[in-house]
Amino acid sequence: MRYQFCPKCGGKLEFFSKQNINQPKCIDCGFTFYQNPIVGVAAILIKNKKILLGKRNISYKNKWCVPCGYVEYDEDVREATKREFLEETGLQIKLNRVYDVHSNFHNPIQHTVGIWFLAEITGGQLKANDDLSEVDYFSYDRLPELAFTTDRFVLDRLATEKLI
Ligand SMILES: [Zn+2]
């Protein structure tokens, strides 16, 4: 059980069957607390066959990732990607197509679905910010230690398709 109490009334959450372990129900108000993955977004920025990565300074500290973040509850998925990228790298981007989508199970208490977009710079100045302590471009044969398995899948695919 990831949560014990009802977010609406504070009542106790219980399971009513084994099939419903992701849908506990409040014994007081009857609210069903659906527990679904949250959406993570990342933008792939490539320059001279090198990809921009960020060095993390909070969770997975000192490991590197494709700049990423979470979609806010009331936010458009593409707006979220641009906002997160700007916050972390100082760069404004425009998004092209969705490049890849994966389920991320690396955090046992929060399953996320990650979406990687291909992006192009439209403005700004490259500078690590927010959750990142460094940002730099890397070629595929000189990648630093990565934080997430799914970034590795995406980088392998970019290399196979000769994009990096
Ligand atoms: Zn309740």
Side-chain angles (χ1 to χ4, degrees):
M1 177 81 99
R2 283 173 291 242
Y3 298 97
Q4 308 288 332
F5 299 103
C6 174
K8 295 188 81 165
C9 80
K12 194 168 165 7
L13 293 173
E14 277 195 357
F15 301 126
F16 290 89
S17 78
K18 275 217 169 81
Q19 285 75 43
N20 289 337
I21 58 161
N22 293 312
Q23 297 165 27
K25 212 168 171 177
C26 174
I27 57 171
D28 289 335
C29 76
F31 175 71
T32 301
F33 190 9
Y34 293 96
Q35 292 172 58
N36 299 320
I38 60 172
V39 180
V41 285
I44 298 167
L45 186 64
I46 296 168
K47 192 169 86 178
N48 302 327
K49 297 238 168 184
K50 292 180 173 180
I51 183 164
L52 186 74
L53 298 178
K55 190 177 190 181
R56 302 175 61 88
N57 67 7
I58 301 172
S59 60
Y60 303 88
K61 193 172 162 78
N62 296 332
K63 294 189 178 182
W64 294 73
C65 67
V66 177
C68 60
Y70 295 120
V71 181
E72 301 283 348
Y73 190 80
D74 55 0
E75 191 178 32
D76 175 85
V77 63
R78 287 176 174 77
E79 290 307 315
T81 313
K82 292 190 274 187
R83 173 185 55 74
E84 286 285 354
F85 204 86
L86 178 62
E87 285 172 8
E88 296 194 330
T89 70
L91 296 176
Q92 283 147 351
I93 50 171
K94 98 177 175 69
L95 299 182
N96 295 328
R97 67 185 167 91
V98 170
Y99 184 70
D100 219 342
V101 177
H102 289 288
S103 289
N104 297 305
F105 293 107
H106 52 252
N107 178 351
I109 59 164
Q110 184 61 71
H111 170 204
T112 65
V113 171
I115 305 171
W116 285 255
F117 290 93
L118 291 174
E120 284 171 54
I121 297 185
T122 56
Q125 282 284 340
L126 184 60
K127 184 181 182 300
N129 237 319
D130 207 30
D131 298 350
L132 300 179
S133 59
E134 243 180 273
V135 277
D136 206 352
Y137 289 91
F138 290 88
S139 59
Y140 182 67
D141 56 3
R142 301 236 165 160
L143 291 176
E145 190 184 357
L146 298 172
F148 308 123
T149 317
T150 46
D151 271 346
R152 165 62 67 180
F153 298 158
V154 171
L155 291 162
D156 288 347
R157 181 174 167 196
L158 287 165
T160 304
E161 296 179 358
K162 309 238 181 286
L163 292 169
I164 56 173

